[in-house]
mmCIF file of all heavy atoms in Angstrom:
data_model
loop_
_atom_site.group_PDB
_atom_site.id
_atom_site.type_symbol
_atom_site.label_atom_id
_atom_site.label_comp_id
_atom_site.label_asym_id
_atom_site.label_seq_id
_atom_site.Cartn_x
_atom_site.Cartn_y
_atom_site.Cartn_z
ATOM 1 N N ILE A 706 4.415 15.552 -17.103
ATOM 2 C CA ILE A 706 5.253 15.237 -15.965
ATOM 3 C C ILE A 706 4.688 15.900 -14.777
ATOM 4 O O ILE A 706 4.513 17.127 -14.732
ATOM 5 C CB ILE A 706 6.708 15.765 -16.267
ATOM 6 C CG1 ILE A 706 7.242 15.188 -17.574
ATOM 7 C CG2 ILE A 706 7.618 15.380 -15.085
ATOM 8 C CD1 ILE A 706 7.285 13.707 -17.612
ATOM 9 N N LYS A 707 4.355 15.119 -13.723
ATOM 10 C CA LYS A 707 3.812 15.662 -12.469
ATOM 11 C C LYS A 707 4.573 15.257 -11.295
ATOM 12 O O LYS A 707 5.115 14.178 -11.200
ATOM 13 C CB LYS A 707 2.323 15.130 -12.373
ATOM 14 C CG LYS A 707 1.414 15.590 -13.492
ATOM 15 C CD LYS A 707 0.005 15.077 -13.269
ATOM 16 C CE LYS A 707 -0.958 15.509 -14.382
ATOM 17 N NZ LYS A 707 -2.318 15.000 -14.252
ATOM 18 N N THR A 708 4.543 16.122 -10.295
ATOM 19 C CA THR A 708 5.134 15.830 -8.997
ATOM 20 C C THR A 708 4.024 15.757 -7.969
ATOM 21 O O THR A 708 3.294 16.759 -7.766
ATOM 22 C CB THR A 708 6.174 16.953 -8.580
ATOM 23 O OG1 THR A 708 7.193 16.979 -9.578
ATOM 24 C CG2 THR A 708 6.743 16.608 -7.240
ATOM 25 N N LEU A 709 3.821 14.647 -7.349
ATOM 26 C CA LEU A 709 2.779 14.469 -6.332
ATOM 27 C C LEU A 709 3.239 14.947 -4.998
ATOM 28 O O LEU A 709 4.394 14.754 -4.622
ATOM 29 C CB LEU A 709 2.339 13.009 -6.253
ATOM 30 C CG LEU A 709 1.782 12.348 -7.516
ATOM 31 C CD1 LEU A 709 1.478 10.891 -7.215
ATOM 32 C CD2 LEU A 709 0.535 13.055 -7.970
ATOM 33 N N ASP A 710 2.377 15.547 -4.249
ATOM 34 C CA ASP A 710 2.645 15.830 -2.832
ATOM 35 C C ASP A 710 2.829 14.489 -2.179
ATOM 36 O O ASP A 710 2.283 13.460 -2.569
ATOM 37 C CB ASP A 710 1.433 16.531 -2.133
ATOM 38 C CG ASP A 710 1.331 18.014 -2.607
ATOM 39 O OD1 ASP A 710 2.354 18.526 -2.984
ATOM 40 O OD2 ASP A 710 0.200 18.508 -2.535
ATOM 41 N N TRP A 711 3.598 14.484 -1.059
ATOM 42 C CA TRP A 711 3.879 13.143 -0.350
ATOM 43 C C TRP A 711 2.586 12.482 0.043
ATOM 44 O O TRP A 711 2.550 11.242 -0.108
ATOM 45 C CB TRP A 711 4.755 13.450 0.830
ATOM 46 C CG TRP A 711 4.152 14.196 1.959
ATOM 47 C CD1 TRP A 711 4.127 15.537 2.182
ATOM 48 C CD2 TRP A 711 3.383 13.679 3.021
ATOM 49 N NE1 TRP A 711 3.420 15.835 3.269
ATOM 50 C CE2 TRP A 711 3.008 14.719 3.838
ATOM 51 C CE3 TRP A 711 2.983 12.320 3.410
ATOM 52 C CZ2 TRP A 711 2.203 14.598 4.988
ATOM 53 C CZ3 TRP A 711 2.236 12.154 4.541
ATOM 54 C CH2 TRP A 711 1.850 13.255 5.330
ATOM 55 N N MET A 712 1.605 13.266 0.520
ATOM 56 C CA MET A 712 0.424 12.568 0.998
ATOM 57 C C MET A 712 -0.379 11.967 -0.159
ATOM 58 O O MET A 712 -0.979 10.913 -0.025
ATOM 59 C CB MET A 712 -0.436 13.472 1.858
ATOM 60 C CG MET A 712 -1.172 14.601 1.110
ATOM 61 S SD MET A 712 -0.147 16.013 0.843
ATOM 62 C CE MET A 712 -0.066 16.738 2.406
ATOM 63 N N GLU A 713 -0.382 12.697 -1.305
ATOM 64 C CA GLU A 713 -1.141 12.219 -2.439
ATOM 65 C C GLU A 713 -0.396 10.938 -3.007
ATOM 66 O O GLU A 713 -1.066 10.031 -3.415
ATOM 67 C CB GLU A 713 -1.177 13.253 -3.574
ATOM 68 C CG GLU A 713 -2.042 12.879 -4.756
ATOM 69 C CD GLU A 713 -2.159 14.001 -5.771
ATOM 70 O OE1 GLU A 713 -1.557 15.070 -5.529
ATOM 71 O OE2 GLU A 713 -2.865 13.761 -6.742
ATOM 72 N N HIS A 714 0.979 10.897 -2.957
ATOM 73 C CA HIS A 714 1.662 9.713 -3.390
ATOM 74 C C HIS A 714 1.344 8.478 -2.544
ATOM 75 O O HIS A 714 1.072 7.402 -3.031
ATOM 76 C CB HIS A 714 3.177 9.990 -3.327
ATOM 77 C CG HIS A 714 3.958 8.887 -4.018
ATOM 78 N ND1 HIS A 714 4.418 7.786 -3.363
ATOM 79 C CD2 HIS A 714 4.346 8.737 -5.338
ATOM 80 C CE1 HIS A 714 5.112 7.033 -4.180
ATOM 81 N NE2 HIS A 714 5.046 7.535 -5.393
ATOM 82 N N ILE A 715 1.280 8.695 -1.224
ATOM 83 C CA ILE A 715 0.924 7.590 -0.324
ATOM 84 C C ILE A 715 -0.508 7.068 -0.594
ATOM 85 O O ILE A 715 -0.778 5.926 -0.647
ATOM 86 C CB ILE A 715 1.059 8.009 1.169
ATOM 87 C CG1 ILE A 715 2.550 8.266 1.523
ATOM 88 C CG2 ILE A 715 0.492 6.981 2.091
ATOM 89 C CD1 ILE A 715 2.786 8.821 2.887
ATOM 90 N N ARG A 716 -1.389 8.048 -0.788
ATOM 91 C CA ARG A 716 -2.789 7.675 -0.985
ATOM 92 C C ARG A 716 -3.012 6.970 -2.377
ATOM 93 O O ARG A 716 -3.895 6.069 -2.473
ATOM 94 C CB ARG A 716 -3.715 8.892 -0.882
ATOM 95 C CG ARG A 716 -3.826 9.466 0.576
ATOM 96 C CD ARG A 716 -4.676 10.701 0.648
ATOM 97 N NE ARG A 716 -6.015 10.450 0.259
ATOM 98 C CZ ARG A 716 -6.922 9.872 1.135
ATOM 99 N NH1 ARG A 716 -6.627 9.483 2.307
ATOM 100 N NH2 ARG A 716 -8.178 9.695 0.684
ATOM 101 N N ARG A 717 -2.217 7.371 -3.389
ATOM 102 C CA ARG A 717 -2.355 6.726 -4.679
ATOM 103 C C ARG A 717 -1.628 5.368 -4.744
ATOM 104 O O ARG A 717 -1.990 4.506 -5.477
ATOM 105 C CB ARG A 717 -1.732 7.651 -5.746
ATOM 106 C CG ARG A 717 -2.737 8.808 -6.127
ATOM 107 C CD ARG A 717 -2.317 9.470 -7.400
ATOM 108 N NE ARG A 717 -3.057 10.605 -7.771
ATOM 109 C CZ ARG A 717 -2.975 11.203 -8.928
ATOM 110 N NH1 ARG A 717 -2.209 10.747 -9.876
ATOM 111 N NH2 ARG A 717 -3.718 12.260 -9.193
ATOM 112 N N ARG A 718 -0.558 5.271 -3.932
ATOM 113 C CA ARG A 718 0.305 4.061 -4.003
ATOM 114 C C ARG A 718 0.451 3.496 -2.514
ATOM 115 O O ARG A 718 1.566 3.345 -2.113
ATOM 116 C CB ARG A 718 1.616 4.346 -4.594
ATOM 117 C CG ARG A 718 1.622 4.866 -5.998
ATOM 118 C CD ARG A 718 1.220 3.787 -7.000
ATOM 119 N NE ARG A 718 1.322 4.274 -8.383
ATOM 120 C CZ ARG A 718 0.344 4.800 -9.048
ATOM 121 N NH1 ARG A 718 -0.822 4.917 -8.420
ATOM 122 N NH2 ARG A 718 0.510 5.170 -10.304
#
Side-chain angles (χ1 to χ4, degrees):
I706 307 299
K707 295 181 180 179
T708 301
L709 298 177
D710 288 335
W711 67 268
M712 72 279 285
E713 189 177 357
H714 189 270
I715 293 174
R716 290 178 64 80
R717 286 196 184 188
R718 301 286 186 269

